Amino acid sequence: MLKFVLDVLDRLDDPRVDGAAMVSYLDGIAGESGLTHTERVHGGQGHTDFVQVRIPGTAGRAAGGEAPTLGVIGRLGGVGARPEVTGFVSDGDGAAAAFSAAAKLLAMRARGDVLTGDVLISTHVCPDAPTLAHDPVPFMNSPVDMATMNEHEVSAEMEAVLSIDTTKGNRIINHKGLALSPTVKQGWVLRVSERLNGLLETVTGEPSVTYPVTMQDITPYGNGVHHINSILQPATATEAPVAGLAIVSAATVAGCATGASHETDIAAAARYAVEVAREFGAGTLNFHDEQEFATLLARYGSMRRLQTMGEPQPSEATA
């Protein structure tokens, strides 16, 4: 996996990188075209290229099978903040992990090692994204808003979503490596999946690390409240269960910092995504307990309101 990470980082650390360049790279690994595509989307602060990769499984939906489809989303504002900052920024780790996982799965498929279920991998490429003031350290912003990002990265085909994001700009997770969130589904923060947790220990060879998720973290961006970052924003745009795999540091690091990406941590995140895809498609891993979730709904009702912007505030009504 580290080989793919180094190749991906070399390509993303280029001021001219775009979606077409990453599609060309992945198509070369796959030995065929048509599994990867890109779309350029313009926003108020520039443009970004969304990239989606489909890796068909032996018994996946694309083949008419019943094996479930996993979504892997690399979340970020941009891989660079030019001209304000020169070079690849820490925020780009989510994209690097997603592209590396895609490269590995495509290479496996080309050799004949095909997983059971389909895997959809989505992320985007922007080498000149804006920055955003945030406490305790600046965030990376994006040329497009979060609703647009979800529209292009979250697919109704995804029956569970693993969201990978750099999560170093906080004082909550004081650990270097990877950390796993509880599962979030339809506005509910559920318990940490036992198998997702155990698989993290297998991949890292260390005790698993999880992190707290607040109700405001799983509400949509733009509602005026603090979010740890965008790692769980896909949960606002899907009915499927979502877990956030955070690439973290023991110290607080800005998303727009350069020289702050650790190749081995990105490789571990990508390996984790591959292993989750292997087990989820085979039906041996669940993101949540469906019966327990049904019990929560029956006793307490829907929490879908947290997936929306909620009630308009007076300032919004008069704006």
Side-chain angles (χ1 to χ4, degrees):
M1 183 64 76
L2 189 57
K3 172 185 179 297
F4 292 121
V5 171
L6 296 176
D7 287 344
V8 165
L9 285 175
D10 184 55
R11 285 164 172 79
L12 293 180
D13 190 15
D14 184 331
R16 297 164 298 179
V17 69
D18 58 13
M22 299 311 297
V23 166
S24 177
Y25 165 68
L26 293 172
D27 282 351
I29 293 172
E32 59 181 297
S33 59
L35 299 179
T36 308
H37 75 271
T38 184
E39 178 182 358
R40 177 159 293 182
V41 177
H42 293 264
Q45 300 187 71
H47 67 264
T48 191
D49 292 349
F50 289 95
V51 179
Q52 186 176 90
V53 187
R54 180 187 298 273
I55 302 98
T58 58
R61 307 297 188 190
E66 297 297 322
T69 299
L70 177 70
V72 177
I73 298 177
R75 295 316 308 249
L76 69 158
V79 298
R82 300 172 180 87
E84 183 177 349
V85 178
T86 302
F88 183 84
V89 295
S90 174
D91 194 54
D93 289 0
F99 280 125
S100 299
K104 175 62 175 177
L105 287 169
L106 289 171
M108 290 171 58
R109 184 176 186 273
R111 294 170 176 171
D113 274 344
V114 184
L115 302 189
T116 306
D118 298 347
V119 185
L120 289 180
I121 299 179
S122 302
T123 190
H124 70 102
V125 180
C126 180
D128 49 10
T131 60
L132 179 69
H134 185 268
D135 182 53
V137 290
F139 268 177
M140 285 289 293
N141 204 349
S142 176
V144 299
D145 60 28
M146 187 57 63
T148 302
M149 291 176 67
N150 281 338
E151 178 185 350
H152 288 84
E153 293 180 342
V154 182
S155 168
E157 297 179 66
M158 297 174 176
E159 294 167 75
V161 176
L162 180 68
S163 176
I164 307 174
D165 197 351
T166 316
T167 312
K168 301 176 181 178
N170 64 85
R171 295 190 176 96
I172 304 300
I173 314 170
N174 303 311
H175 163 76
K176 181 185 178 299
L178 304 179
L180 180 68
S181 80
T183 296
V184 178
K185 180 177 171 68
Q186 298 172 22
W188 278 93
V189 178
L190 306 173
R191 62 192 176 104
V192 176
S193 163
E194 289 287 346
R195 186 56 192 146
L196 284 176
N197 202 35
L199 196 56
L200 185 59
E201 294 182 330
T202 298
V203 168
T204 63
E206 299 177 348
S208 66
V209 174
T210 61
Y211 59 96
V213 169
T214 69
M215 292 174 71
Q216 62 205 61
D217 288 328
I218 66 170
T219 60
Y221 266 24
N223 61 359
V225 303
H226 185 277
H227 298 76
I228 187 171
N229 69 349
S230 68
I231 191 167
L232 289 169
Q233 286 299 292
T236 67
T238 180
E239 295 187 358
V242 178
L245 181 68
I247 301 175
V248 294
S249 57
T252 304
V253 176
C256 55
T258 56
S261 296
H262 301 270
E263 293 83 355
T264 52
D265 293 342
I266 298 171
R271 283 191 290 109
Y272 183 74
V274 170
E275 295 308 310
V276 171
R278 190 193 311 273
E279 293 199 8
F280 183 74
T284 58
L285 178 151
N286 292 315
F287 277 54
H288 73 301
D289 185 318
E290 293 185 7
Q291 183 174 353
E292 190 170 68
F293 182 66
T295 299
L296 287 169
L297 289 179
R299 284 186 174 272
Y300 303 106
S302 173
M303 297 290 284
R304 290 176 184 265
R305 187 176 183 183
L306 291 173
Q307 295 179 282
T308 74
M309 294 297 288
E311 292 293 330
Q313 299 301 293
S315 60
E316 296 172 339
T318 59

